[in-house]
Amino acid sequence: MREKTRKKELPYFLIDNCYGGDQERLEDESMQTGGCAAVTACDSCIYFELYKGETGLYPFDVKHLNRPDYIRFSDQMKPYLSPRFMGIDRMEIYIEGFGDYLRDHGCDRIKMEPFSGDRDVKEAAEKISDRIDAGFPVPCLTLNHRDPAFFDYDWHWFLLTGYERSESGFMIKTVTYGEWNWISLERLWDTGYPRKGGLILYDRREKDFTGIRRK
């Protein structure tokens, strides 16, 4: 009997030959090594403009994405999520910094909620599938990880843009370093360390019939 699966992938975008932004191709050395949160926010802005109807978040031509413009964009995001000694190692730092960028660029509809990596992986899977079903990518922070297979995700911010649920487990589509990969959420979530990262859950405030935005 064929295994039942449910799979959902969000549309995305290319920047030259990369699947989204690639921090290793930035020109600022500090951003190359510690700019993952800023790149996650930059990609989120482009996604919101392309697929969520937001405007004013990407300062260049969103219909003609290219590496030079993206590099300039990342330089503008850097003051909000600047690389630092311990990195953007708490979700609250990301929410505060990216929230400031959104407000400074006239966007008050996007809201963010933290979801701690201390919580159960089954609940994490439900949150991820809920947000992706709603058309939102999910920023993910992984701190230290004992599994060497997740070296690229160690102390790193990246986006989740798809999921596949089956009887075998819950797979997630990750976007980072200009590439995408499918990995096991169960394995990623089980870092082997007491201190955890977590998820940022995007949502959008909608207008009611009076034109007042609801919280």
Side-chain angles (χ1 to χ4, degrees), residues 176-194:
T176 188
Y177 298 116
E179 300 178 346
W180 58 267
N181 285 287
W182 286 95
I183 65 173
S184 164
L185 175 65
E186 288 86 356
R187 289 181 63 191
L188 178 72
W189 207 250
D190 183 15
T191 65
Y193 286 89

Side-chain angles (χ1 to χ4, degrees), residues 148-195:
F150 295 104
F151 174 80
D152 286 341
Y153 303 97
D154 196 281
W155 215 266
H156 190 55
W157 282 94
F158 51 98
L159 281 172
L160 310 181
T161 65
Y163 70 88
E164 182 173 6
R165 185 194 303 272
S166 70
E167 296 173 5
S168 302
F170 192 89
M171 300 292 289
I172 49 176
K173 184 178 183 180
T174 65
V175 177
T176 188
Y177 298 116
E179 300 178 346
W180 58 267
N181 285 287
W182 286 95
I183 65 173
S184 164
L185 175 65
E186 288 86 356
R187 289 181 63 191
L188 178 72
W189 207 250
D190 183 15
T191 65
Y193 286 89
R195 189 181 177 204

Side-chain angles (χ1 to χ4, degrees), residues 73-202:
F73 181 33
S74 69
D75 290 339
Q76 295 181 28
M77 186 65 73
K78 179 181 177 181
Y80 295 90
L81 292 165
S82 59
R84 58 201 74 187
F85 179 69
M86 290 299 294
I88 310 294
D89 61 344
R90 291 185 293 110
M91 291 173 289
E92 292 76 13
I93 301 176
Y94 182 93
I95 290 173
E96 180 180 1
F98 190 31
D100 286 345
Y101 179 88
L102 294 174
R103 284 187 291 273
D104 287 349
H105 291 78
C107 178
D108 62 355
R109 295 185 67 187
I110 299 297
K111 58 182 180 179
M112 294 175 275
E113 176 185 345
F115 180 88
S116 175
D118 291 325
R119 294 165 74 171
D120 185 76
V121 66
K122 292 182 179 179
E123 189 179 0
E126 292 302 320
K127 294 293 186 181
I128 291 168
S129 60
D130 176 75
R131 289 299 81 211
I132 290 175
D133 284 345
F136 288 96
V138 180
C140 182
L141 168 64
T142 300
L143 299 178
N144 293 124
H145 206 295
R146 293 193 184 280
D147 190 336
F150 295 104
F151 174 80
D152 286 341
Y153 303 97
D154 196 281
W155 215 266
H156 190 55
W157 282 94
F158 51 98
L159 281 172
L160 310 181
T161 65
Y163 70 88
E164 182 173 6
R165 185 194 303 272
S166 70
E167 296 173 5
S168 302
F170 192 89
M171 300 292 289
I172 49 176
K173 184 178 183 180
T174 65
V175 177
T176 188
Y177 298 116
E179 300 178 346
W180 58 267
N181 285 287
W182 286 95
I183 65 173
S184 164
L185 175 65
E186 288 86 356
R187 289 181 63 191
L188 178 72
W189 207 250
D190 183 15
T191 65
Y193 286 89
R195 189 181 177 204
K196 310 292 185 181
L199 310 170
I200 303 293
L201 307 177
Y202 289 141

